[in-house]
Amino acid sequence: MTQIDHGWIEVNGERHPLPVDRSRTALDFLRQDLRLTGTKVGCGQGDCGSCTIAVDGQARYACLTPVAQLAGRRVTTVEGLATRSPCGARLQQAFLAHQAVQCGFCIPGMLMAASVAIDAGEVRDRAGARAAIDGVLCRCTGYRKIVDAVAEVGTGAAPLALTPPPTTGPAVGQPLTRLDGPEKVDGSQQFGADGIPADALFLRAVRSPHPRARFVLGDLDAYVRAHPGVRRVFTHADVPGRNLHSVAPAYADQPVLPVDESRHHLEAVALIVGEREAVAALELSDFPIAWEPLPAVFSVDDAVQPDAPLLHANRAGNLLVEGRVRQGDAGAAIREAAHVVTARFASSFVEHAYLEPEAGWAWRVGDTLEVHSPTQAPHPHREDLARVLGVPEHRVRVVPTAVGGGFGGKLDMTVQPLLAVAAWHLDRPVALVFTREESMATSTKRHPARIVSTAAADAQGRIIAVEFEGDYNTGAFASWGTAVANRVPVHAGGPYRLPHYAAQARAIHTHITPAGAFRGFGVPQTTMSQEQLIDELALKAGWDPLEFRAHNALRPGDTLPTGQVLDDSVGLVECLDTLRPRWIDARARVAERNATAPTHLRHGMGMAAFFYGCGNTGTPNPSTIRIGVRPNGKLVLHQGAVDAGQGANTVIPQIAADALGVPVSQLSFIGPDTHLTPDCGRTSASRQTFVTGRAAFLAGTALRRRVRAMLDANDDAPVTFGPGWVSAGAARLSLRELPLDAHGYALCAEERFDPPTRSLDAAGQGRPYATYAFGAQMAEVEVDLDTGRVRVRRVVAVHDVGRRVNPTLLEGQVEGAVAQGVGLALMEQYLPGRNNNLHDYLIPTVHDVPEVETLFVEAPTPIGPYGAKGIGEPALVPTAAAILNAIHHATGARVREAPATPDAVLRALADAGLARPLRPSVR
């Protein structure tokens, strides 16, 4: 018998020889050998599905598939999907039309899994669409629009049309298809690990196996000599400038590499650099380092004890910072109130679980160090890296790659200072890609909260006082602990008129990876406590929960406990009015379900209202936008706001185009790059649409005014840009006759916007935010009284967004936030050192997310672009609180901890005396 030679693999229609080492993974072969980087590295353990490919028409995880198993097989990756799959091109278009794409990291895996199922005829309805993608995780979208797209193609429904940029009329308010969408669906978008130069050296961190330990390094030169392919080991001594960094320079406390003591598990203490294969093969058991474990503190209670070890010598009691807001006499008002409720609440660390692990590369270009990485803060990173390297800022260039999910977790520096130090000393590019374990063990988390709070109302149902004390475990380093401790007291009273208020929040250090920014800066976990308290107060005073909130809701002209008087952009009452008919319908629906459901299944409904300050808390918060005109008439928008999936790459051009009076399609786009785009600030605090959008509005308006002035045209004369000319009304000007500025533009406008705020004084009085988002959400749940399992069936989200710049992108933000809120409420609990993977750390899958109805109210803010304000964080703030209130409505028990896992729900039932007797087992 003739032996068939299967020494090849067919990939996207082209044959390639098998590599010599056939034990390598398909993922490694595709990305490194063939440079097909559309197949993503998400976890390396078959948990996330980002690496899904098609092998002879079957979906496979490339990270688990040895190359040997592909011998003689036909492989399709996302790069070949449009031509190799019968449904491929249409599926990609459907993802764009339905706005099913946000950050884009999971999208290749989603497309491949869905295409296999559709081509096999397995998608005949929405249930089939969900089943098709249930092996792929998404952290951004909430899955709903992805399911819509897959169901459309699988069922053969009429395709939803794309919404291209309009050629006439305004772009603001239009559901414009994401401008950067095509590269997200064809696999060409470059994330942190995708653009690494082929000749790059690789870093590998030596990490502490202990939460706290003293260490001594041995003979590093001998170690290098003993390991061929290893070039060098870097330690703290190799940091050329300041061996500290932080998001706030005044609180800088995190070393690039510690000197002799580690402060949390898996903190990097040294860096090994060398050839990729050599570094990957190291076992590290022979690395010359001696460890001495030291006593550590993990909880706030332990950290504030008099004999607790201090993480930082200058922070007595391990206190990072304390924030306060006071108005009136809350204590006296509570003593005299007709109705008073008090409660304690606790939440856990929560992992961002973005699908893209931190990665990047750096190299020296002349006297400038370039760092390429997924960052939400390019200019702040440049400032900090310059301090680390001890050089002027102009000698550091930060080039953001695409960000595969951020939610605040990529605001802090992670790989960047390690890459910068290594590349500073070496003559080749240097790369670093975190494993999923490294990412989860060392990245920032949502702060665990420990809250004690009291709320009081008078006999007429008016809330008259709130007292609040919250401690937030901020981990080993400052990160965003200062922002959390200062934002929480502003928001802990909720969106209600409060004559008497006393709130304080403390950020406390422990020997755990730092807690940082995570979509809400402490407000979502605080709202879980406070909105349950508002529900209790309403019920105690004899009010319907929605009507009680409407009775006490903030209105235009009201004064916050900070002393700030609200302008007309307060849409909370309108949000509650919009929610009311759905609230009434849900009440009847829940009652009907409970009348027919088995006795162990109870249905309930709950709601939560909120307000949320857009931007930084009482600190400068500027963004700058540049729009230039080339001599050939080409319009160029320099937009430095990082799009982490929220849509800045589409929304900011929509605003700029309308302000300038041109179609969006006429704008060329230069994205974030510290050498090419002005500073638009961090992508955080729900500020980009509001702040950077306003800067874009000002720049477009300024350029249009300048053209009219140059041509002596009327203020309302239409401005038109053509090839080599610009006109205003009947007058025309040749651009080629104008001198060029330093950026090569014949005409240019650069405008800066910094929201008007005033820092808080010792009593928390000031103007912390220029504008606020408002809203309310309702959740319907089903609770199994025997198991404690909670299923969220439906969420209605009503949000005051000021002005809808792009309605479908707004919907996507809300749907993704609801999914994260479900995880926050019911399942997500990061246990330091124990669940550093996406198998043990659970996030919602496509089967866990409820039906979501999204409704918008427009109460324009006069200082926002066309009245717009933020949505990214506000959309998450009330979700978990509404779910916890719904659990109480279903069961009669209050869950005072998050997440409300089955065990927590059963404990709450037992504490309330509502636990059911165990049912006898059936034999």
Side-chain angles (χ1 to χ4, degrees):
M1 180 181 291
T2 304
Q3 183 74 29
I4 299 176
D5 177 20
H6 282 162
W8 51 267
I9 306 171
E10 183 182 294
V11 180
N12 298 332
E14 295 185 11
R15 285 196 176 188
H16 300 275
L18 282 171
V20 174
D21 181 1
R22 300 189 181 189
S23 67
R24 293 170 62 198
T25 66
L27 183 62
D28 178 69
F29 173 70
L30 292 170
R31 290 180 59 85
Q32 293 185 32
D33 294 22
L34 304 187
R35 305 295 287 181
L36 294 173
T37 56
T39 305
K40 302 304 178 190
V41 184
C43 67
Q45 299 169 319
D47 294 323
C48 73
S50 298
C51 66
T52 302
I53 57 175
V55 180
D56 289 344
Q58 300 294 315
R60 299 281 288 273
Y61 292 149
C63 71
L64 299 181
T65 304
V67 172
Q69 293 184 8
L70 302 182
R73 303 288 188 92
R74 289 167 176 79
V75 175
T76 302
T77 71
V78 68
E79 290 90 346
L81 181 63
T83 57
R84 307 303 297 177
S85 164
C87 74
R90 185 180 169 191
L91 187 62
Q92 289 171 323
Q93 288 298 100
F95 269 56
L96 295 177
H98 285 272
Q99 301 279 34
V101 178
Q102 290 192 24
C103 84
F105 191 83
C106 74
I107 295 304
M110 288 287 184
L111 287 166
M112 296 310 303
S115 67
V116 166
I118 292 170
D119 291 343
E122 296 171 355
V123 179
R124 294 179 287 274
D125 51 24
R126 290 183 65 81
R130 286 192 293 270
I133 61 169
D134 67 3
V136 186
L137 294 175
C138 177
R139 193 57 160 168
C140 295
T141 67
Y143 302 98
R144 182 176 178 83
K145 295 188 185 305
I146 294 176
V147 172
D148 290 343
V150 175
E152 175 203 290
V153 178
T155 62
L160 184 68
L162 299 173
T163 306
T167 55
T168 60
V172 170
Q174 299 300 312
L176 194 66
T177 301
R178 190 180 288 268
L179 297 178
D180 57 2
E183 64 195 46
K184 295 175 185 281
V185 299
D186 67 13
S188 64
Q189 186 174 52
Q190 296 281 291
F191 294 90
D194 295 339
I196 296 172
D199 64 338
L201 297 169
F202 271 72
L203 291 180
R204 185 165 173 186
V206 177
R207 299 186 178 276
S208 171
H210 309 286
R212 180 184 177 220
R214 189 173 293 112
F215 62 90
V216 177
L217 296 167
D219 190 340
L220 301 179
D221 291 336
Y223 178 81
V224 172
R225 290 193 299 270
H227 294 81
V230 172
R231 287 277 298 270
R232 187 166 171 179
V233 175
F234 292 103
T235 71
H236 70 92
D238 297 300
V239 178
R242 186 176 70 165
N243 188 26
L244 289 175
H245 62 91
S246 182
V247 295
Y251 292 90
D253 59 1
Q254 185 167 355
V256 178
L257 295 167
V259 176
D260 58 9
E261 181 180 323
S262 64
R263 292 187 179 95
H264 67 83
H265 182 237
L266 295 191
E267 182 181 4
V269 300
L271 302 173
I272 304 170
V273 62
E275 304 297 334
R276 182 173 195 152
E277 295 78 9
V279 170
L282 295 173
E283 292 293 335
L284 298 189
S285 57
D286 61 342
F287 186 81
I289 188 169
W291 297 100
E292 178 191 353
L294 298 172
V297 291
F298 306 107
S299 70
V300 166
D301 284 341
D302 290 340
V304 298
Q305 295 302 312
D307 58 348
L310 291 182
L311 279 92
H312 304 280
N314 61 337
R315 294 175 188 163
N318 285 313
L319 174 66
L320 169 62
V321 72
E322 181 175 33
R324 294 175 180 270
V325 174
R326 296 186 180 277
Q327 176 180 267
D329 189 339
I334 289 169
R335 288 191 293 271
E336 298 170 4
H339 308 288
V340 179
V341 291
T342 299
R344 295 176 178 270
F345 183 82
S347 69
S348 303
F349 283 104
V350 182
E351 159 68 14
H352 292 86
Y354 31 71
L355 272 295
E356 179 203 23
E358 296 81 350
W361 54 280
W363 60 3
R364 293 188 70 159
V365 179
D367 67 349
T368 299
L369 185 84
E370 286 189 11
V371 180
H372 299 247
S373 70
T375 169
Q376 295 177 242
H379 279 82
H381 280 193
R382 181 181 70 167
E383 295 166 10
D384 228 0
L385 289 172
R387 286 188 283 266
V388 167
L389 296 177
V391 299
E393 287 181 21
H394 71 267
R395 292 187 59 191
V396 177
R397 180 181 185 180
V398 173
V399 184
T401 61
V403 178
F407 322 113
K410 290 172 181 171
L411 288 167
D412 295 68
M413 293 205 298
T414 54
V415 298
Q416 294 86 2
L418 308 180
L419 289 168
V421 168
W424 186 256
H425 292 284
L426 297 170
D427 56 359
R428 279 171 60 181
V430 180
L432 176 58
V433 180
F434 278 4
T435 65
R436 176 55 57 180
E437 181 186 29
E438 287 178 308
S439 173
M440 293 181 70
T442 65
S443 63
T444 60
K445 305 288 177 279
R446 185 180 295 284
H447 286 73
R450 190 186 66 177
I451 293 168
V452 180
S453 190
T454 298
D458 63 16
Q460 288 73 45
R462 292 187 295 261
I463 304 173
I464 58 172
V466 167
E467 282 188 337
F468 173 92
E469 292 185 7
D471 286 337
Y472 295 79
N473 188 333
T474 203
F477 306 115
S479 183
W480 290 90
T482 55
V484 168
N486 284 291
R487 183 178 283 265
V488 164
V490 176
H491 292 84
Y496 310 110
R497 288 170 290 186
L498 278 173
H500 303 282
Y501 183 65
Q504 66 179 35
R506 301 188 303 169
I508 306 294
H509 285 297
T510 60
H511 288 100
I512 298 173
T513 186
F518 189 171
R519 209 170 189 174
F521 291 98
V523 178
Q525 56 268 53
T526 301
T527 303
M528 284 193 283
S529 165
Q530 299 306 88
E531 280 296 291
Q532 286 202 78
L533 213 61
I534 294 298
D535 243 36
E536 289 183 80
L537 194 58
L539 297 172
K540 191 168 185 178
W543 285 71
D544 171 86
L546 185 146
E547 302 305 335
F548 184 75
R549 288 173 169 86
H551 184 55
N552 289 281
L554 288 167
R555 290 165 168 80
D558 281 343
T559 302
L560 297 177
T562 60
Q564 179 178 355
V565 178
L566 295 173
D567 60 20
D568 290 339
S569 181
V570 183
L572 179 57
V573 172
E574 291 87 342
C575 288
L576 294 171
D577 289 345
T578 302
L579 184 60
R580 184 176 287 107
R582 288 157 178 83
W583 178 255
I584 294 170
D585 289 346
R587 184 186 299 138
R589 185 166 52 248
V590 165
E592 181 180 349
R593 286 174 178 161
N594 280 331
T596 58
T599 57
H600 71 286
L601 291 180
R602 294 289 87 191
H603 296 263
M605 53 188 282
M607 68 166 297
F610 77 97
F611 79 132
Y612 190 82
C614 298
N616 297 345
T617 308
T619 58
N621 193 22
S623 282
T624 303
I625 286 285
R626 180 188 306 136
I627 304 176
V629 189
R630 300 287 186 200
N632 62 3
K634 182 178 181 180
L635 283 164
V636 183
L637 170 65
H638 292 254
Q639 192 277 105
V642 171
D643 191 328
Q646 84 281 16
N649 287 345
T650 302
V651 169
I652 304 303
Q654 285 182 264
I655 294 168
D658 277 14
L660 188 52
V662 301
V664 174
S665 58
Q666 198 169 347
L667 290 176
S668 296
F669 180 79
I670 294 179
D673 181 328
T674 58
H675 269 37
L676 301 178
T677 51
D679 186 1
C680 284
R682 298 176 172 94
T683 291
S684 67
S686 301
R687 59 176 298 282
Q688 290 296 15
T689 296
F690 169 50
V691 182
T692 299
R694 180 66 179 181
F697 170 83
L698 294 174
T701 302
L703 184 54
R704 183 153 57 165
R705 286 175 178 164
R706 182 179 178 192
V707 169
R708 287 170 176 158
M710 291 178 69
L711 295 175
D712 198 25
N714 295 331
D715 289 344
D716 59 353
V719 174
T720 304
F721 294 88
W725 54 266
V726 61
S727 68
R732 178 181 288 198
L733 174 69
S734 172
L735 294 169
R736 293 187 173 90
E737 297 175 3
L738 298 177
L740 302 185
D741 67 11
H743 303 290
Y745 293 120
L747 294 171
C748 186
E750 184 169 304
E751 293 292 325
R752 181 179 185 267
F753 175 65
D754 191 1
T757 62
R758 189 171 75 254
S759 60
L760 300 178
D761 63 18
Q765 299 300 292
R767 187 181 185 185
Y769 309 101
T771 195
Y772 296 83
F774 296 84
Q777 292 185 8
M778 176 188 77
E780 297 176 46
V781 304
E782 176 187 276
V783 184
D784 188 321
L785 300 180
D786 288 341
T787 65
R789 184 179 184 273
V790 179
R791 176 188 174 196
V792 184
R793 298 175 65 102
R794 187 166 185 261
V795 169
V796 180
V798 188
H799 290 268
D800 165 21
V801 296
R803 173 75 186 278
R804 291 179 293 175
V805 177
N806 189 309
T808 52
L809 291 185
L810 282 169
E811 286 178 2
Q813 284 294 288
V814 174
E815 290 166 4
V818 166
Q820 289 191 359
V822 170
L824 176 63
L826 300 180
M827 65 181 69
E828 296 193 41
Q829 186 174 29
Y830 177 75
L831 304 171
R834 292 171 55 186
N835 55 350
N836 290 320
N837 58 72
L838 293 174
H839 179 77
D840 298 316
Y841 184 86
L842 302 179
I843 68 172
T845 71
V846 68
H847 299 298
D848 296 309
V849 295
E851 173 191 347
V852 180
E853 181 182 7
T854 302
L855 302 163
F856 295 113
V857 165
E858 293 184 315
T861 175
I863 58 173
Y866 300 101
K869 45 193 181 184
I871 188 63
E873 290 168 294
L876 173 67
V877 170
T879 309
I883 292 169
L884 295 183
N885 278 332
I887 293 173
H888 173 263
H889 182 251
T891 67
R894 285 282 173 198
V895 182
R896 304 291 191 186
E897 58 184 298
T901 60
D903 286 349
V905 172
L906 292 177
R907 282 195 297 273
L909 290 169
D911 291 344
L914 298 171
R916 284 163 53 84
L918 292 175
R919 289 188 291 175
S921 60
V922 177
R923 294 186 179 275

